[in-house]
């Protein structure tokens, strides 16, 4: 049996707004065109190297805490950095950050970590402020669909 295409959704959902971001990302991976893509959604505190090594794409979802990535997402990167450094080069990914204010520190950290891992961004990071409305949820879904399409070799 052939290995299925997997997109790992690593998330830290701590509020209604971040849960809405997570739901929108999963909806984007659940479209008919991506029927062969399996979305594997794991909290950032439990996702690890094995999950990352078996993924064909990654969607990162994090609140911005005190101007930085959530501690949970930083923990995820701490767990996977060395075990995945060589094997996941060019892994397609995209990120959504939920922020109440300035996300520039979180964006810098995200870029530094993913550049160091040599992952391939397939969409610009999306920064969401406040409760995501229908238009923002659509943007999140499209971002996740883009990762899924790249993971499946459609783009």
């Amino acid at each position: 049996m052939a290995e299925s295409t997997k997109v790992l959704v690593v998330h830290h959902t701590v509020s209604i707004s971040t849960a809405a971001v997570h739901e929108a990302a999963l909806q984007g991976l659940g479209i008919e065109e991506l029927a062969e893509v399996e979305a594997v959604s794991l909290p950032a505190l439990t996702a690890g190297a094995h999950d990352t090594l078996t993924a064909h794409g990654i969607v990162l979802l994090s609140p911005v805490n005190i101007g930085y990535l959530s501690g949970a997402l930083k923990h995820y990167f701490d767990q996977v950095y060395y075990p995945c450094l060589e094997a996941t080069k060019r892994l397609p990914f995209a990120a959504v950050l939920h922020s109440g204010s300035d996300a520039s520190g979180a964006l810098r950290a995200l870029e530094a970590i993913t550049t160091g891992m040599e992952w391939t961004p397939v969409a610009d990071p999306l920064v969401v402020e406040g409760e995501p409305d229908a238009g923002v949820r659509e943007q999140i879904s499209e971002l996740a669909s883009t990762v899924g399409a790249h993971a499946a070799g459609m783009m």
Side-chain angles (χ1 to χ4, degrees), residues 72-90:
L73 192 63
K74 178 65 170 67
H75 172 79
Y76 163 74
F77 281 124
D78 287 345
Q79 298 305 304
V80 305
Y81 190 82
Y82 289 110
C84 298
L85 186 59
E86 292 300 318
T88 62
K89 287 183 180 182
R90 294 178 294 288

Side-chain angles (χ1 to χ4, degrees), residues 14-135:
V14 294
S15 68
I16 293 170
S17 294
T18 54
V21 167
H22 180 238
E23 182 180 309
L26 293 177
Q27 286 176 348
L29 290 168
I31 63 172
E32 186 176 332
E33 294 84 357
L34 297 176
E36 300 299 316
V37 174
E38 176 186 1
V40 177
S41 177
L42 293 172
L45 289 174
T46 60
H50 174 75
D51 306 304
T52 305
L53 290 167
T54 59
H56 300 92
I58 296 190
V59 177
L60 302 165
L61 310 174
S62 176
V64 174
N65 296 328
I66 315 168
Y68 196 75
L69 297 172
S70 71
L73 192 63
K74 178 65 170 67
H75 172 79
Y76 163 74
F77 281 124
D78 287 345
Q79 298 305 304
V80 305
Y81 190 82
Y82 289 110
C84 298
L85 186 59
E86 292 300 318
T88 62
K89 287 183 180 182
R90 294 178 294 288
L91 187 68
F93 85 97
V96 180
L97 303 178
H98 186 271
S99 177
S101 59
D102 182 19
S104 59
L107 288 166
R108 276 192 307 277
L110 179 69
E111 182 178 3
I113 295 165
T114 56
T115 297
M117 294 188 78
E118 296 185 42
W119 288 2
T120 302
V122 296
D124 290 334
L126 180 60
V127 177
V128 176
E129 292 187 11
E131 183 68 31
D133 62 20

